[in-house]
Amino acid sequence: MPGAKGRLLLAYLVLNRRRRMSRDELLTAVYGEDASPDQRPSLSVLLSRLRSVVGSEVLAGRAEIELVLPPDAFIDVDAALEALHRAESHIAGGEWTEAWGPAGIAYHVASRPLLQGEDRPWLDEWHRRLADVRLRGLECFAAARLGLGGPTLPQAEQCGRQLVELAPFRETGYRILMEALERRGNVAEALLVYERLRVLLRDELGVSPSPAVQSVYLRLLGKPTTATAN
């Protein structure tokens, strides 16, 4: 690749490969919002160097640029998004064994840094998107382990703790952690997890835990789950 700018250019082309892109769009993507017309020759050099690496049949067009990849091209970001969809579909259907593999793909791929050290608005958007994929993949991973039960419960607990650490205001992690602890016989610790969440939401947002979490809490107390806990 022709240096850091070449990697930025290739990444932008790959992530937007389903459409044609103008040279001005690519100029802003590579050189930032303050890019000037004087940098157009530099972009042309980058495109030429990149074309010499990937081939003119892949990097097509002149005034408008299009990345034409072969059908069997592997894009890890696409793999993560597709795997997350499969994992969440399996979780919704209670298919715990089938959810395990795609959940791991989504989580592990999304955990890899995307052009670390680069600062562009379009990269920030993808960083946020991949952070969401990572969390949802981990949630599916935890839910699958919880659903399988038995020897996978310690892993469900570990995933629940990781979710709480990564996203302290995301209640799914607390619910999974509470259920994993409950099924491992650690009811008192599960109640402490609920209390941690309750105090956090009360102090920071002025709200109570969701009905789904409160339902687990009431079950831990041995109370009917049709009521709402305070």
Side-chain angles (χ1 to χ4, degrees):
M1 291 297 101
K5 292 290 190 293
R7 288 191 295 272
L8 270 175
L9 175 60
L10 178 61
Y12 190 83
L13 288 166
V14 170
L15 294 173
N16 295 275
R17 68 191 180 281
R18 293 180 177 87
R19 61 182 179 85
R20 292 175 178 268
M21 289 154 274
S22 69
R23 284 179 175 252
D24 285 344
E25 178 184 345
L26 296 178
L27 187 69
T28 301
V30 174
Y31 294 98
E33 299 293 334
D34 298 329
S36 69
D38 294 340
Q39 291 171 302
R40 287 174 181 166
S42 298
L43 176 65
S44 295
V45 171
L46 275 180
L47 286 168
S48 296
R49 291 179 177 174
L50 187 57
R51 189 173 282 113
S52 69
V53 173
V54 301
S56 58
E57 71 283 358
V58 173
L59 191 57
R62 295 295 173 181
E64 289 189 327
I65 308 300
E66 182 181 12
L67 192 69
V68 184
L69 295 177
D72 60 346
F74 176 80
I75 309 298
D76 56 359
V77 170
D78 283 356
L81 294 171
E82 190 274 335
L84 177 63
H85 174 73
R86 285 191 290 122
E88 290 182 334
S89 296
H90 288 310
I91 292 297
E95 299 163 347
W96 313 121
T97 302
E98 292 81 356
W100 185 294
I105 292 173
Y107 171 72
H108 289 296
V109 171
S111 296
R112 301 170 187 166
L114 176 63
L115 295 178
Q116 192 170 26
E118 297 292 348
D119 183 19
R120 295 289 185 277
W122 61 271
L123 268 178
D124 292 340
E125 179 181 345
W126 273 99
H127 288 157
R128 288 190 293 269
R129 188 174 182 183
L130 288 172
D132 179 64
V133 170
R134 182 189 185 201
L135 283 174
R136 289 163 61 190
L138 186 58
E139 285 173 350
C140 289
F141 218 11
R145 288 165 165 171
L146 190 64
L148 289 170
T152 67
L153 286 176
Q155 296 172 322
E157 178 184 337
Q158 181 183 6
C159 287
R161 294 189 186 280
Q162 189 175 356
L163 283 166
V164 169
E165 186 68 25
L166 289 172
F169 288 92
R170 198 176 178 106
E171 295 187 49
T172 309
Y174 293 90
R175 179 181 56 78
I176 289 173
L177 179 55
M178 289 167 63
E179 292 194 76
L181 288 168
E182 175 193 20
R183 293 175 62 179
R184 299 190 71 196
N186 297 317
V187 174
E189 191 174 354
L191 290 170
L192 286 175
V193 172
Y194 175 84
E195 183 64 12
R196 175 183 171 185
L197 173 63
R198 186 189 69 80
V199 171
L200 175 69
L201 295 181
R202 182 199 65 192
D203 292 350
E204 297 296 332
L205 302 176
V207 299
S208 299
S210 67
V213 174
Q214 292 196 42
S215 178
V216 178
Y217 171 68
L218 290 171
R219 188 175 71 235
L220 292 170
L221 295 177
K223 297 182 179 180
T225 58
T226 55
T228 299
N230 296 318

